[in-house]
Amino acid sequence: MTDIAVLLSETRSFPPPADFQRQAHVRDRGLHDSATADPIHYWAEQAKSLTWRTPWTQVLDWQPPHAKWFTGGTLNVAENCLDRHLAGPRRNKAAIVWEGEPGDRRTLTYWELAREVRAFANVLKSLGVRKGDRVGIYLPLIPEAAVAMLACARIGAIHSVVFGGFSPESLRDRMNDAQAKVVITADGGYRRGQIVPLKRNTDKALEECPSVQHVVVVQRRAAGPITEAHVDMREGRDHWYHRLMQHAPDACAPEPMDAEDVLFILYTSGTTGKPKGIVHTTGGYLVGAASSARMVFDLKEEDVFWCTADVGWITGHTYLVYGPLANGATCVMYEGAPDWPERDRFWQLVARHGVTILYTAPTAIRAFMKWGVEHPRKHDLSSLRLLGSVGEPINPEAWMWYHEHIGGARCPIVDTWWQTETGGIVISPLPGLTATKPGSATQPLPGYSVQLLTQQGEPIPTGGGLLSITRPWPSMLRTIWGDDRRYVETYFSKWAGRPDLYFAGDGAKRDEDGYWWILGRVDDVLNVAGHRIGTMEVESALVEHPAVAEAAVVGKTHELKGQSVCAFVTLRDGHQKSSALREELREFVAQKIGALARPDDVLFSADLPKTRSGKIMRRLLRDIAEGRALGDTTTLADPNVVNALKEQYADSEG
Ligand code: 7RM
C-alpha cells in the first residue's frame, strides 16, 4: 500500500510580526536546540517552574510503553494553580471572568477562587471522599466546574468531567466505569435559551450507578433560580451546593500527591463501542499544561485569555483551567452558544472583557465565515493580540479569514495539534518565533519528538504518512482506566516490535521546510485508484470556493477505482444549490489539486454531522454515501442532521 498522497500546495507564509516578536517569551531557536540536545534536562528545567513539596529523584522512568515522570516528587495541582499566587500581586487579580448565556456575570479573583476551592474541598471530605476516590462532574460551564476540579485536586480525589450536553446513558456508563462515589451537577444550564435539565439527567443515570453515594447540586441562578420545584432532591443522597458551602470551613491544606498519582480520567468515545477512560497523572500533566500554555499563548500578566472549549473536553481541562491558572493568568469562561441571542455574541464578549488571546475551533471559525463579516465588524476587536485554533485541521481559507477579520491582519495564529491522549499541545507555532503557513500546525514544541512513518515504520523525511510521537513526554496518557491492554494495543502496537512508538491515528505530511500538515484521521483516508488521499486537502480545496462554507469528503465504493470521492458541502449564506454549482465545484477541485480528487458526487447539505465538540463525523457520511444503515450515532450533536441528509441522499439517487 502506498502512503498518503500530497495534493495541496500552500505557499503563503507569515513571519511573526516584529512588535509581537520583540515582547514574546520565546523568540529564538535556542530553546528548541537545547531541548533536542537533551530532552530530559529540558523537561527537568520546565518542571522547576512548578512548586514541588519534595523534589523528584528521577526525571523519566521509561519501560516502553509505560512511562513515569518525576518519580519520587510530590506536589499538589491546586496549590500550584492557586496558593502560590496568593502571596504576591496576583492575590486580587481576576482568575475567572465568567459570563452565563442569559447574560449574568461573575468575576472570581485568585483569592476568592482559592477560598471557594478550599471550602468545597472540605465539603467533599465531609461526604466521605478520600484520596484516590473518583468524583463525577456533570455541570454547565460555570465557575463551579473549575472549583470542583480544583477541589478534587486539592484532596487527591480523581475527577472525571462529563460534558453537560451528554445524555443520562453516557453519564451512567462513565460513572460506572470509573466507580464514582460522588457526582457534582446543577439543577440546569443554558444552551440557546433552553434549560438543559442536568439534575433530571443525573437522576436517570443514577438509577443504574450503585457506586454513587452522594450528589451535590449547584443552583444555577440566572434570570432567577431554576425553581427548586423542578428538581427532585432525594433525602440523604442529594445536597444543594450552596447549603453545604454555608457551613464549610475554609481551611484545607493541599494533599501532597505523588507525581504519578492520577489527577483525572477523561473519557473519549473512540471509534467503537465502549468509551476509553484516558488517565492523566499529576506532575507530568501539570508540567506539560503549564509550560505549553505559557509558551504557545505567550501568556503575560496583563493578558485576558479566552479558551472557548467546555471543561468536558481536554481543551477545557488543559487550557481553560490547569494551564492558565498554573501561570496566574486571567481566564474568560462563557457558558453558552456563539449565536445566542445573536450571531455576534463572541465578538461582544471579546470587546466587553478586552480579550487579548482567543483560542477556538475551526468548526466555529467556519460558522462565523458562513454567517458573514458583519457580525465581528460591529465590535472593537483591537484588544486581541494572538489567535489560536484546535480540534481539526484548519483549512487555509478559514485560517486567512480568521487572520483578516478577527485578527485584523495583526495577530499571529497558533494552529495547535494535540489530543486527549497527549494532555497538551504537541505541534504548534511559537508565536514570537515561528513563521506560520495557513493550514500547517508548523513544528513540534521543544522537548517533543515527532516522526512521519510508513505503515511499515520506515521514516518519511518529506511527503505523507502516519504521525508518530517517538519519545515519551510528561503529559502523555498513562493508561486507559481499567484496561491497560487496550492502552498498549491502541497506542503502542502499530509497528511490530516497537512498543516505544506512539501511534496518534492521524495522517500528516511534512513539507520541504520540515513543516507539519495534519491530513485528518487515518480511519477517514480515501483510496482512489490506489492513491491514499487525506480528507483535509480535498475539503480545503472545496472551501476555497467562494460559495462554500464547509465541506466533508468520504470515499464511496466504486467498481473501477476502488473508491470515488463523495463531497458533502455546506454553502455560505446567500448562495443557492444548483446543478451548475455542483459541476463547478467538481471542476474547481480537479483544477486546484488534480483530477484524481475530483468528486464524483457533490451533495449540498444545510449542516454536517458533528460530535458535540464540533468534529465532523465522516463515518456517518460514509454510511450515507454507501446507502447503509447508520452506525453508532450516540456521540452526534444533532441527530436531525443525518436524518435530513439520508432522505436527501435517497432522493438524489432515485
Ligand atoms: C485537542 C483535541 C484529537 C484529534 C486529533 C486530530 C484532531 C486536533 C488539530 C487536529 C488538525 C489540529 N483533542 N486535531 N487538533 N487536527 N489540526 N490543530 O482536539 O482528543 O478531542 O481530538 O483532533 O485528528 O487526533 S481530541
Side-chain angles (χ1 to χ4, degrees):
M1 204 187 325
T2 56
D3 281 286
I4 303 172
V6 171
L7 304 172
L8 192 77
S9 106
E10 171 60 58
T11 49
R12 287 168 288 196
S13 169
F14 296 83
D19 46 343
F20 192 100
Q21 187 155 48
R22 211 167 300 125
Q23 58 81 59
H25 282 310
V26 184
R27 37 190 151 154
D28 62 59
R29 288 206 53 89
L31 200 65
H32 268 110
D33 296 339
S34 62
T36 309
D38 189 350
I40 296 298
H41 176 76
Y42 169 82
W43 285 119
E45 286 302 307
Q46 293 303 317
K48 283 181 194 161
S49 61
L50 297 182
T51 300
W52 294 80
R53 283 302 184 85
T54 45
W56 59 86
T57 50
Q58 194 183 353
V59 177
L60 170 65
D61 172 4
W62 180 218
Q63 316 282 339
H66 294 101
K68 291 184 183 152
W69 282 88
F70 310 111
T71 53
T74 65
L75 74 166
N76 183 281
V77 167
E79 180 179 2
N80 272 278
C81 290
L82 300 169
D83 306 53
R84 67 178 176 145
H85 306 312
L86 301 183
R90 284 180 186 152
R91 173 191 160 108
N92 297 321
K93 175 179 176 175
I96 297 177
V97 176
W98 174 81
E99 212 173 294
E101 193 186 69
D104 42 343
R105 286 179 221 155
R106 279 164 69 192
T107 296
L108 280 100
T109 63
Y110 272 94
W111 177 260
E112 291 166 330
L113 180 62
R115 271 200 102 219
E116 190 87 2
V117 166
R118 291 194 303 264
F120 193 60
N122 283 324
V123 164
L124 289 175
K125 281 187 186 170
S126 75
L127 296 176
V129 178
R130 301 283 170 261
K131 180 172 169 174
D133 286 346
R134 275 78 59 208
V135 173
I137 299 177
Y138 184 58
L139 285 171
L141 195 50
I142 55 177
E144 284 78 5
V147 170
M149 292 162 75
L150 290 159
C152 288
R154 193 166 194 89
I155 64 173
I158 299 169
H159 62 69
S160 185
V161 182
V162 177
F163 174 53
F166 277 155
S167 65
E169 294 73 30
S170 308
L171 178 64
R172 177 197 63 198
D173 294 348
R174 286 159 174 74
M175 294 303 95
N176 281 333
D177 189 77
Q179 287 290 291
K181 208 170 182 178
V182 168
V183 172
I184 302 154
T185 187
D187 45 6
Y190 290 88
R191 187 75 188 178
R192 290 214 167 77
Q194 301 285 310
I195 290 173
V196 186
L198 293 166
K199 174 60 165 66
R200 222 183 297 154
N201 290 350
T202 304
D203 288 341
K204 186 132 189 274
L206 296 193
E207 284 168 11
E208 296 169 295
C209 289
S211 66
V212 176
Q213 296 162 10
H214 293 284
V215 180
V216 180
V217 187
V218 178
Q219 195 171 58
R220 172 75 182 85
R221 289 166 179 280
I226 295 168
T227 75
E228 295 196 22
H230 285 157
V231 177
D232 169 29
M233 296 293 279
R234 197 162 307 170
E235 186 72 38
R237 187 194 73 176
D238 299 350
H239 319 268
W240 286 105
Y241 177 94
H242 60 280
R243 301 245 172 93
L244 294 174
M245 289 290 271
Q246 265 171 2
H247 310 290
D250 96 309
C252 175
E255 182 75 28
M257 302 296 288
D258 189 278
E260 281 297 325
D261 280 338
V262 176
L263 176 63
F264 65 84
I265 307 168
L266 182 61
Y267 287 86
T268 71
S269 33
T271 40
T272 50
K274 195 167 171 262
K276 297 179 280 197
I278 303 299
V279 173
H280 283 289
T281 57
T282 302
Y285 172 78
L286 198 64
V287 170
S291 62
S292 59
R294 177 177 176 279
M295 272 188 255
V296 173
F297 299 111
D298 191 45
L299 282 178
K300 301 283 166 50
E301 216 49 71
E302 320 70 53
D303 275 315
V304 177
F305 179 58
W306 182 19
C307 165
T308 69
D310 191 277
V311 283
W313 317 119
I314 190 68
T315 308
H317 282 61
T318 309
Y319 299 109
L320 182 57
V321 178
Y322 292 120
L325 295 181
N327 282 283
T330 295
C331 306
V332 170
M333 191 187 257
Y334 167 60
E335 176 188 30
D339 56 351
W340 192 268
E342 301 293 338
R343 290 174 162 182
D344 66 342
R345 184 65 186 270
F346 268 31
W347 318 122
Q348 196 184 65
L349 268 142
V350 167
R352 176 160 36 240
H353 301 292
V355 172
T356 60
I357 306 167
L358 175 68
Y359 189 34
T360 194
T363 180
I365 298 165
R366 290 187 296 254
F368 299 138
M369 287 173 76
K370 184 173 191 287
W371 298 340
V373 291
E374 62 269 28
H375 305 292
R377 276 208 189 125
K378 270 185 256 169
H379 299 274
D380 178 6
L381 306 182
S382 61
S383 57
L384 290 170
R385 68 180 195 95
L386 177 63
L387 304 175
S389 169
V390 62
E392 279 188 300
I394 177 168
N395 43 285
E397 195 67 15
W399 196 103
M400 289 303 300
W401 189 92
Y402 197 29
H403 171 73
E404 223 164 284
H405 297 292
I406 306 305
R410 131 195 116 249
C411 306
I413 297 180
V414 289
D415 173 4
T416 61
W417 178 85
W418 59 295
Q419 308 176 300
T420 304
E421 293 85 347
T422 67
I425 296 168
V426 177
I427 306 179
S428 167
L430 290 173
L433 171 66
T434 318
T436 53
K437 301 186 189 186
S440 169
T442 74
Q443 306 205 333
L445 294 183
Y448 291 88
S449 170
V450 180
Q451 264 195 344
L452 203 56
L453 299 175
T454 64
Q455 298 281 353
Q456 290 71 40
E458 294 125 14
I460 305 173
T462 60
L466 307 177
L467 200 161
S468 167
I469 308 178
T470 60
R471 263 203 292 258
W473 63 102
S475 66
M476 67 192 277
L477 77 166
R478 297 300 192 267
T479 188
I480 291 173
W481 184 258
D483 199 349
D484 192 61
R485 230 176 95 176
R486 194 170 175 200
Y487 163 80
V488 177
E489 280 166 11
T490 310
Y491 303 110
F492 292 96
S493 302
K494 175 77 188 171
W495 296 283
R498 293 297 304 272
D500 56 325
L501 296 178
Y502 172 80
F503 173 52
D506 282 335
K509 79 174 185 197
R510 251 186 119 218
D511 69 17
E512 299 68 38
D513 301 328
Y515 274 48
W516 290 82
W517 304 72
I518 310 302
L519 298 174
R521 302 293 299 165
V522 173
D523 304 338
D524 290 335
V525 164
L526 288 66
N527 194 329
V528 181
H531 300 273
R532 285 162 56 78
I533 302 177
T535 51
M536 181 268 206
E537 296 186 306
V538 188
E539 290 163 4
S540 289
L542 281 162
V543 176
E544 266 186 66
H545 190 283
V548 176
E550 188 156 47
V553 304
V554 297
K556 179 186 172 185
T557 311
H558 185 280
E559 24 172 341
L560 301 176
K561 298 188 273 191
Q563 283 187 329
S564 64
V565 179
C566 177
F568 293 80
V569 166
T570 304
L571 297 178
R572 288 209 206 184
D573 284 3
H575 292 269
Q576 301 299 322
K577 61 181 183 181
S578 69
S579 45
L581 180 58
R582 177 177 295 128
E583 208 41 50
E584 193 177 317
L585 291 176
R586 297 182 62 226
E587 279 321 302
F588 190 78
V589 172
Q591 256 229 321
K592 286 270 162 204
I593 57 176
L596 181 68
R598 179 195 282 117
D600 281 18
D601 308 85
V602 174
L603 268 108
F604 296 107
S605 162
D607 254 311
L608 295 172
K610 291 183 183 165
T611 65
R612 289 176 179 83
S613 66
K615 294 188 208 293
I616 298 172
M617 291 179 74
R618 294 180 189 75
R619 170 171 67 74
L620 294 177
L621 293 174
R622 277 198 296 275
D623 292 341
I624 291 170
E626 301 285 9
R628 37 172 204 245
L630 296 178
D632 183 15
T633 55
T634 51
T635 54
L636 201 56
D638 178 2
N640 296 323
V641 174
V642 280
N643 295 333
L645 264 172
K646 257 195 112 162
E647 279 168 31
Q648 192 198 332
Y649 195 76
D651 287 350
S652 76
E653 293 288 89

